[in-house]
Amino acid sequence: MIIRILGSAAGGGFPQWNCNCRNCADVRAGKPGFRPRTQSSLAVSRDGKSWVLLNASPDLRQQINDTPALGSLAEGSLRNSPIKAAVLTNGDVDHIIGLINLREMEPLTVYGSDRVLATIAANAVFNVLDKGKVARRELPLDQPTNLAGADGPLGITVTAFAVPGKVALYLEDASKGANFGSEAGDTIGLEVRDEATGKAFYYVPGCAEVDARLGERLKGAALVLFDGTLYTDDEMLQAGLMPKTGKRMGHISISGPDGSIAAFAKLGVARKIYVHINNSNPVLNESSEPRKATEAAGWEVGYDGMEVRL
Amino acid sequence: MIIRILGSAAGGGFPQWNCNCRNCADVRAGKPGFRPRTQSSLAVSRDGKSWVLLNASPDLRQQINDTPALGSLAEGSLRNSPIKAAVLTNGDVDHIIGLINLREMEPLTVYGSDRVLATIAANAVFNVLDKGKVARRELPLDQPTNLAGADGPLGITVTAFAVPGKVALYLEDASKGANFGSEAGDTIGLEVRDEATGKAFYYVPGCAEVDARLGERLKGAALVLFDGTLYTDDEMLQAGLMPKTGKRMGHISISGPDGSIAAFAKLGVARKIYVHINNSNPVLNESSEPRKATEAAGWEVGYDGMEVRL
């Protein structure tokens, strides 16, 4: 199985259009040790020919152009694409708007929770994906789903599972209490399994907490791509960027006693990669102490174009 | 006034993700004489400091990153952007989805017709633009509107005018007759005037026909950026790409007795630039006969990053 990080940044990307924080200013100026990053998305393939997108970021057109394997094939028909399916982990615009790029009558299957599919149905802009060509299939929680494109099965099974989190920002409803109307399944992780080899990895780009249930699930995994939004829970507050903590945004931090480094310490995961990294995160500076501490703890910091084979 | 083409391609861009036509295959392969193009958008500024977007394409994040003048300023505050306003010419996803990139609480004014603003209001994904920060202002037809950002006037006046055209594809309603429910103002052109110098240009990225009224308006203009979607009315049909003519899609062709070269021949426009160029258009091949004929007729073929001063 080939796993390729198309976009390793959180919403807004790196740099973020309107952000002049140290990190964004440095990457915009081309300072060494800073690498631009597009927004959160992976591509997965069993054979290198048919690909599945895990999330569809607003940067998808650029990501396809930067990834020759995802472009229309010169040896194919007049209209063709190696992208056969897209699996959406939540309704964040960072994860769904890229679907708009997948129009032009190309057969495709879009998988998402009932809530994500309802969001797509409720926004007419997504009607540019012709319903006669682009199937929308519900991805039920805790049930293995054999992914298929219009031409048939893709040899990849995905199992969605709820993780601690929060509903997408623009769908928050303050009248619905402390969790803003979030429901189980608003934030999901994916187990992605190669049906031929049985090998699997986990993709959890948004997660508020590694609770006992999630820890049990990830224990001993060969590979986890995990929420690396923030290094410290209050880094956006401290930087004056946003009056919200990571906890309020539904994102666990990397460091600290409640952070993901600590939570994964005893899980025995063979390879651990941070994705969905916010522009405020000091690990984006390759010579920073947080970056060194993160790598010393056995984690890799994902980057656009990074490829893992399993 | 500085006019910069951010994206010179029609919807889908060049190459288009799923297209293996000769043009797309050649540009994807990096063949000389073919230049990649992002989707339709301009940026305009009177002083080079404050900018107005004319349409917001799905490629906007990439376009901002490719245009240093549009990035957050290193000498500015922690969060800042030179982009102060966006003017939308219609509800095509190619022209509105880029707004999604302009979130993160940055003050901004979005101008559009009542129909375009209604489309944005009806699609909750656009709620990521905080209504308290991002003003949505109606752009009335045939009335000069002095553009203003949150900090004040921008020194640019825009006058929207209806041009022959069609409602956005995903809003078509076949039950409403031959024009699919299109209404006056679904496709507009813009006159953009520098309030200090009085100089003006016209931006008409979609147009089905240069009728007498439009011809009268454009007569003697200093600069027109015009719909260059197709070279011949049936080129997509002929190439097997789409069972629709340009006329059906609401786009005049460049060549032929009903084309824009012929229509502009006697208008005395000083500088004429094609934008919104579809990937099927042979003018994208710099060594093609259609390209030579277009240039011989006094037209320029717009490209991403092209800058004109007026």
Side-chain angles (χ1 to χ4, degrees), chain B residues 28-81:
Chain B
R28 200 175 278 120
K31 195 168 166 183
F34 293 84
R35 196 192 272 261
R37 283 167 160 86
T38 60
Q39 294 166 92
S40 180
S41 176
L42 300 186
V44 182
S45 177
R46 206 178 57 79
D47 57 9
K49 289 175 187 163
S50 296
W51 290 81
V52 177
L53 301 178
L54 303 186
N55 290 324
S57 97
D59 297 316
L60 183 56
R61 188 172 175 273
Q62 181 181 356
Q63 292 167 340
I64 291 173
N65 285 340
D66 287 347
T67 312
L70 296 184
S72 190
L73 299 173
E75 65 273 24
S77 58
L78 191 56
R79 287 279 168 92
N80 78 82
S81 169

Side-chain angles (χ1 to χ4, degrees), chain A residues 73-92:
Chain A
L73 298 172
E75 65 274 23
S77 58
L78 191 55
R79 288 279 167 93
N80 77 82
S81 169
I83 300 170
K84 303 301 180 192
V87 180
L88 309 173
T89 62
N90 65 9
D92 278 346

Side-chain angles (χ1 to χ4, degrees), chain B residues 204 207 210 214-215 218-219 221 223-227 252 259-269 271-274 297 299:
Chain B
V204 187
C207 181
V210 181
L214 180 59
L218 301 182
K219 206 173 232 175
L223 170 67
V224 176
L225 294 117
F226 194 78
D227 182 346
I252 189 175
S260 51
I261 286 179
F264 274 74
K266 293 186 180 166
L267 296 183
V269 173
R271 195 161 176 192
K272 307 182 285 289
I273 303 173
Y274 283 121
W299 283 82

Side-chain angles (χ1 to χ4, degrees), chain A residues 10-22 25 28 37-39 58-59 61-62 64-65 68 70-83 91 93-94 96-97 100-108 119 122-128 170-171 236 239-242 278-279, chain B residues 10-22 25 28 37-39 58-59 61-62 64-65 68 70-83 91 93-94 96-97 100-108 119 122-128 170-171 236 239-242 278-279:
Chain A
F14 186 53
Q16 178 178 306
W17 74 292
N18 67 334
C19 191
N20 187 30
C21 73
R22 195 67 263 146
R28 200 175 277 120
R37 285 169 157 87
T38 60
Q39 293 166 93
D59 297 316
R61 186 169 176 274
Q62 181 182 357
I64 291 173
N65 285 340
L70 296 184
S72 190
L73 298 172
E75 65 274 23
S77 58
L78 191 55
R79 288 279 167 93
N80 77 82
S81 169
I83 300 170
V93 290
D94 325 322
I96 66 174
I97 282 294
I100 297 287
N101 293 289
L102 302 179
R103 64 191 190 276
E104 313 293 354
M105 314 275 284
E106 195 65 37
L108 187 80
T119 296
N123 281 268
V125 287
F126 292 105
N127 291 348
V128 294
Y170 70 101
L171 298 173
M236 295 192 74
L241 293 168
M242 164 109 76
N278 193 55
N279 52 71
Chain B
F14 186 53
Q16 179 177 305
W17 75 291
N18 67 334
C19 191
N20 187 31
C21 74
R22 194 68 263 145
R28 200 175 278 120
R37 283 167 160 86
T38 60
Q39 294 166 92
D59 297 316
R61 188 172 175 273
Q62 181 181 356
I64 291 173
N65 285 340
L70 296 184
S72 190
L73 299 173
E75 65 273 24
S77 58
L78 191 56
R79 287 279 168 92
N80 78 82
S81 169
I83 300 170
V93 291
D94 325 324
I96 65 173
I97 280 294
I100 296 288
N101 294 289
L102 302 179
R103 65 190 191 276
E104 312 294 354
M105 313 277 283
E106 195 65 36
L108 188 79
T119 297
N123 282 268
V125 287
F126 292 106
N127 291 347
V128 295
Y170 71 102
L171 298 173
M236 295 192 73
L241 293 169
M242 165 111 76
N278 193 53
N279 53 70

